[in-house]
Amino acid sequence: MSDLNRSIKNLKGVGPKKLELLNRLGINTIEDLLYYFPKSYEDFSKISMLGDYFNDEKNLYKVKIITPGLVSRVRGNMTILKCDITDGVTNGELVFFNQHFLKPQLYSGRVIYVSAKPKYNNGRIQLTSPKIIDEKEVNSGLLPVYGLTKGITNNELRKFTKSAIDLYVNELEEVLPSEMTAEYGLAPIQYAVRNIHYPKDEKTYAISKRRLVFEELLVLQLALFKLKSGNDRYSKGIVFKENTLLNDFIESLPFKLTNAQNRALNEILIDMKSDAKMNRLLQGDVGSGKTIIAVLSMYFAVLNGYQCSMMAPTELLAKQHYISLSEYFKDTGLNVVLLVGSTPKKEKEHIYGELKNGNIDIIIGTHALIQDGVNYSNLGLTITDEQHRFGVEQRNRLNAKGENPDNLVMTATPIPRTLALILYGDLDISIIDELPPNRKSIETFVVNTSYQARMDKFVIKQIDDGRQVYVVCPLIEENDMPLKSAEEIYNYYKNRFKDKTVKLLHGKMKTDDKNTTMEDFVSGKVDILVSTTVIEVGVNVPNANLMLIYNADRFGLSQLHQLRGRVGRGEYQSYCVLINDNRSEIAYKRMKVMESSDDGFYIAEKDLELRGPGEFFGTRQHGIPDLKIANLATDMEYLKEIQNISSEISKEIYEENNSKYDRLKLKVDALLSKCEEIGTN
Ligand code: ADP
Ligand code: MG
């Protein structure tokens, strides 16, 4: 066994207690520690001048103490320790709170290094709560700042990484072939790992980071290529035959397909007619008309004598799809059924039988569709709606019900294209980037809670005009707030609008109750529906034209956009009111984006930019392990380059079996098995 794979407890200073804490940080082996990269750095390489006080960052200063430290006592127990300083050009003062014990160190004439953010206060430059820096650390370059857990300090981690680097970094082996490192000017791995922890300057840092990001993204991209070729490229699928009845059906629709819909449909039909198995993602903003594309694909499969299944993440959605599909297919003689968890046992058994003997053409449902009892006579096409809610494993189980059925997944979560290539690397992508004509845009307003009275008036007006209203409250999972906050708001509306019908909907209700509530809203019996985000996806109530969203800053922008898409689905002018009491600049900017745009792709890009990818989406949710150093939002420039390189070399790796890629191949396989673990969890 290489020393790198040995437990971290072999490192000096790591006893049982620290071992447990390190494990908690995901550090089990020496190699894990070497790859535990800093999240930021302290820069003690540059000494700043007090006169540059407008520079609002933590800086390092070399100052001489002019007057000895003076302690004063304020408000009860608080102490303030102050002393005058100079950097030779400008004078200022140090201010410490509750650190009077430092007084003996602050004697007149002493020269010290301190790190602090400068402040200009009462005509003086103040360094408040400065950190006194040991002279040894000055000029030692950038010092790592690590992600910590309670019980372990940054200094301890520095000690551990330092000794791990000194003792073991030379054992790291190159994964990339030497031609590649030469061609792309990549630093050696040992250099990169050493210097990502302790870079002597910005340049060394940049060189090291590039090397590590390059490798990480390359491995990720190759893994995704492999998934993709394993899944569909080479697997044979059904060859569906042209059928003119499909065109007749399209002609008979009450509307004309948009260009984008036609394009997507075409791409799907080409896949279905080819002998390769289809694995396609259909991406389209809320309301862009994905459902009809699903309908047409399924009709095409049925015309070819095959059965289809369509899986949605919630019963609500499955039902809704069932209703609209039944409507679309009502004159075709197709047998369309619904199968969900709450379907009575007897009916389920009946459906199982009819499915098996081929009497059912199209089945729509939830996870109930991947249960053991479900078997088909000849399944030809599967559709997964809102695929990010399902793991790869569930999608596979749905497909395993047939013999290589074609597979279409749909999502209304717009993702910038480069990212989609990473996240959905195993799928081909079609995008509907155009809304059907004559869609009224939704007017969006941002207010704070002090507008409640005005909002109430607005709510009454809509209801008196015969419309319905959504009120949405965020899910705050940590302390089980969702129920409480939704309930509080529900109570407010119930009491405020005694003569209207107000109902509450949340995820923890019994399925039956949820269904009844939603049905009552769909049929117009409920005026105001107060809910958590269970209504987020796909729900279609054209008569609802107003949505109020509380604590709007708690949501991702893409999610807000999805929610907002629940209104504006009918002929009525629709409104979305975002209620935000968060006064931070970033919250303000995010709300502005919602006010000014209704383009899901633009909103997604802004969200990514303003919040970073970690918040934008859990990559884990998409079956991809957390990245150690690459950042899918800010390292976009590398992505394109790496996507090109990957497609160039994957042939050399997997078809020609060129041995110079052996190590890289191992890394790719290790990542793939990690992905699988996540997918099955
Ligand atoms: P999505 O599932 O993409 O959110 P839907 O498929 O529910 O959107 O479509 C939203 C609405 O637009 C539906 O009422 C549908 O009938 C209608 N629609 C779809 N395509 C068109 C079109 N080409 N022209 C006019 N209306 C359309
Ligand atoms: Mg095919």
Side-chain angles (χ1 to χ4, degrees):
M1 185 163 75
S2 145
D3 282 348
L4 293 172
N5 293 327
R6 287 168 59 193
S7 162
I8 194 74
K9 69 172 184 249
N10 292 294
L11 204 68
K12 203 171 144 236
V14 179
K17 255 213 196 101
K18 297 292 166 197
L19 179 65
E20 201 192 311
L21 294 170
L22 287 167
N23 289 165
R24 197 174 300 163
L25 292 171
I27 303 168
N28 299 303
T29 64
I30 304 277
E31 184 165 2
D32 291 340
L33 180 63
L34 290 175
Y35 276 84
Y36 193 73
F37 300 139
K39 63 178 177 38
S40 61
Y41 299 85
E42 279 176 343
D43 182 1
F44 294 150
S45 65
K46 207 175 74 218
I47 293 171
S48 300
M49 300 303 286
L50 290 171
D52 298 337
Y53 61 86
F54 46 80
N55 160 5
D56 182 33
E57 281 173 24
K58 235 188 200 171
N59 300 310
L60 180 71
Y61 301 91
K62 182 182 185 182
V63 295
K64 187 164 150 191
I65 296 168
I66 313 174
T67 61
L70 203 71
V71 178
S72 53
R73 217 162 262 284
V74 287
R75 270 181 283 140
N77 282 331
M78 178 141 97
T79 63
I80 298 183
L81 169 60
K82 282 186 180 177
C83 67
D84 293 328
I85 51 166
T86 179
D87 64 7
V89 180
T90 315
N91 292 357
E93 69 183 343
L94 301 181
V95 184
F96 298 85
F97 299 102
N98 289 332
Q99 284 184 291
H100 46 274
F101 50 85
L102 290 175
K103 184 177 174 216
Q105 295 189 30
L106 304 176
Y107 50 86
S108 210
R110 185 183 175 196
V111 174
I112 56 170
Y113 292 91
V114 292
S115 153
K117 260 190 204 174
K119 221 169 55 188
Y120 195 63
N121 201 1
N122 281 331
R124 314 203 55 172
I125 293 154
Q126 280 186 336
L127 302 177
T128 40
S129 306
K131 195 171 142 201
I132 299 178
I133 305 297
D134 194 324
E135 191 166 355
K136 277 196 307 240
E137 288 185 62
V138 175
N139 272 325
S140 58
L142 302 170
L143 291 172
V145 177
Y146 296 103
L148 301 174
T149 185
K150 206 171 169 231
I152 207 157
T153 66
N154 198 47
N155 275 339
E156 283 172 307
L157 264 173
R158 280 183 189 171
K159 242 186 267 156
F160 295 147
T161 54
K162 231 186 189 119
S163 79
I165 288 168
D166 287 345
L167 293 168
Y168 301 104
V169 84
N170 291 333
E171 295 185 29
L172 284 173
E173 294 182 78
E174 253 351 299
V175 167
L176 306 177
S178 50
E179 300 100 275
M180 189 184 270
T181 47
E183 183 175 351
Y184 297 100
L186 302 172
I189 187 68
Q190 299 174 359
Y191 175 94
V193 170
R194 181 193 304 276
N195 287 293
I196 200 71
H197 290 279
Y198 296 95
K200 76 172 193 302
D201 51 30
E202 293 280 344
K203 198 170 156 216
T204 322
Y205 164 76
I207 293 171
S208 306
K209 181 174 176 223
R210 174 172 151 79
R211 168 64 172 82
L212 297 166
V213 169
F214 191 100
E215 182 175 318
E216 183 166 50
L217 289 180
L218 184 66
V219 169
L220 176 63
Q221 189 66 71
L222 283 169
L224 292 167
F225 269 135
K226 196 171 174 199
L227 265 183
K228 190 165 182 164
S229 55
N231 272 0
D232 57 345
R233 274 293 138 79
Y234 307 111
S235 85
K236 292 255 177 241
I238 302 161
V239 181
F240 294 90
K241 296 270 177 320
E242 193 72 54
N243 192 312
T244 52
L245 285 177
L246 179 67
N247 299 325
D248 297 347
F249 188 73
I250 295 174
E251 292 290 315
S252 76
L253 290 174
F255 48 75
K256 233 177 113 235
L257 294 182
T258 62
N259 289 334
Q261 283 173 318
N262 269 319
R263 191 169 2 101
L265 178 63
N266 237 340
E267 288 164 353
I268 291 167
L269 293 180
I270 288 171
D271 281 1
M272 289 179 73
K273 290 181 212 163
S274 88
D275 65 350
K277 175 172 151 56
M278 170 165 78
N279 253 318
R280 185 168 285 279
L281 174 74
L282 179 61
Q283 241 195 325
D285 215 339
V286 273
S288 62
K290 293 182 294 296
T291 313
I292 184 65
I293 301 304
V295 163
L296 295 171
S297 321
M298 287 194 277
Y299 188 54
F300 184 59
V302 175
L303 289 175
N304 271 271
Y306 288 93
Q307 295 170 294
C308 307
S309 68
M310 181 166 181
M311 182 163 71
T314 62
E315 290 213 15
L316 278 179
L317 257 186
K319 261 203 178 142
Q320 191 112 40
H321 278 317
Y322 173 71
I323 293 167
S324 47
L325 264 60
S326 303
E327 175 66 25
Y328 276 121
F329 287 125
K330 69 175 189 287
D331 298 327
T332 59
L334 263 60
N335 187 9
V336 182
V337 303
L338 176 73
L339 178 70
V340 291
S342 65
T343 307
K345 192 153 177 264
K346 230 169 149 191
E347 200 181 323
K348 266 189 192 157
E349 314 254 278
H350 178 71
I351 290 175
Y352 291 166
E354 295 288 284
L355 206 54
K356 184 90 186 73
N357 66 27
N359 283 342
I360 291 172
D361 300 303
I362 292 174
I363 186 160
I364 300 151
T366 52
H367 296 82
L369 293 177
I370 52 179
Q371 304 308 315
D372 286 339
V374 180
N375 292 296
Y376 298 81
S377 130
N378 58 346
L379 178 63
L381 173 67
T382 63
I383 298 185
T384 322
D385 194 19
E386 292 305 331
Q387 82 101 34
H388 65 282
R389 298 256 178 138
F390 296 104
V392 178
E393 176 67 11
Q394 287 167 323
R395 209 165 80 209
N396 290 344
R397 268 166 68 188
L398 187 70
N399 290 324
K401 299 272 182 194
E403 274 173 43
N404 274 348
D406 278 358
N407 178 218
L408 181 68
V409 297
M410 306 200 293
T411 179
T413 313
I415 294 175
R417 206 182 244 281
T418 0
L419 280 186
L421 282 173
I422 286 273
L423 290 177
Y424 301 116
D426 59 332
L427 302 169
D428 294 307
I429 299 176
S430 293
I431 295 180
I432 305 183
D433 53 3
E434 177 187 357
L435 292 183
N438 305 325
R439 208 39 75 74
K440 282 215 176 71
S441 77
I442 303 163
E443 280 188 47
T444 300
F445 308 98
V446 180
V447 302
N448 58 40
T449 34
S450 74
Y451 281 67
Q452 186 65 53
R454 274 196 254 178
M455 289 191 281
D456 289 348
K457 274 196 201 133
F458 198 53
V459 168
I460 292 177
K461 176 164 188 324
Q462 303 313 319
I463 297 176
D464 287 346
D465 284 349
R467 304 286 82 75
Q468 290 161 278
V469 178
Y470 289 106
V471 176
V472 183
C473 319
L475 208 76
I476 309 165
E477 278 177 19
E478 310 94 76
N479 35 13
D480 210 20
M481 281 280 284
L483 272 177
K484 216 167 117 216
S485 62
E487 233 154 51
E488 272 168 14
I489 289 171
Y490 166 66
N491 286 332
Y492 172 81
Y493 280 89
K494 214 173 52 172
N495 294 326
R496 179 71 183 72
F497 302 102
K498 287 218 164 71
D499 57 333
K500 312 286 183 217
T501 314
V502 184
K503 281 218 176 169
L504 176 65
L505 182 72
H506 59 75
K508 292 194 176 155
M509 279 160 59
K510 283 209 205 83
T511 306
D512 277 353
D513 297 342
K514 263 195 284 196
N515 290 345
T516 332
T517 305
M518 201 57 217
E519 274 156 23
D520 287 351
F521 191 65
V522 173
S523 66
K525 279 188 221 149
V526 171
D527 299 310
I528 301 175
L529 182 69
V530 179
S531 89
T532 57
T533 52
V534 280
I535 52 140
E536 181 186 344
V537 277
V539 176
N540 191 25
V541 183
N543 190 48
N545 77 327
L546 170 61
M547 176 176 283
L548 307 172
I549 305 180
Y550 281 84
N551 288 315
D553 65 299
R554 290 276 186 157
F555 295 97
L557 295 190
S558 290
Q559 202 185 1
L560 284 177
H561 180 63
Q562 292 246 331
L563 284 167
R564 179 169 64 179
R566 299 305 107 215
V567 295
R569 298 177 82 85
E571 63 206 271
Y572 313 106
Q573 175 59 52
S574 296
Y575 308 92
C576 175
V577 181
L578 302 173
I579 303 154
N580 169 46
D581 289 319
N582 180 341
R583 289 163 66 177
S584 79
E585 184 172 342
I586 188 137
Y588 173 81
K589 280 191 180 153
R590 296 176 72 239
M591 294 303 115
K592 273 284 164 217
V593 171
M594 295 308 297
E595 227 172 19
S596 65
S597 174
D598 61 358
D599 175 346
F601 283 91
Y602 171 80
I603 289 172
E605 253 161 46
K606 281 289 166 195
D607 204 15
L608 189 60
E609 197 181 298
L610 291 171
R611 291 199 306 170
E615 303 253 350
F616 176 70
F617 45 60
T619 37
R620 286 190 148 252
Q621 207 180 316
H622 292 81
I624 293 177
D626 294 332
L627 298 171
K628 285 195 187 315
I629 187 158
N631 175 323
L632 291 178
T634 51
D635 294 327
M636 208 71 111
E637 53 182 308
Y638 292 108
L639 265 175
K640 285 228 176 68
E641 184 183 21
I642 284 183
Q643 276 159 4
N644 291 337
I645 300 171
S646 309
S647 55
E648 270 170 36
I649 67 172
S650 61
K651 193 162 157 237
E652 279 182 78
I653 299 180
Y654 293 110
E655 288 173 40
E656 297 161 14
N657 267 317
N658 194 328
S659 66
K660 72 182 177 195
Y661 293 114
D662 282 355
R663 283 227 181 78
L664 185 57
K665 218 159 127 179
L666 284 177
K667 279 248 163 167
V668 171
D669 290 342
L671 181 70
L672 282 171
S673 58
K674 239 191 211 165
C675 289
E676 245 158 57
E677 267 169 45
I678 294 172
T680 48
N681 282 342

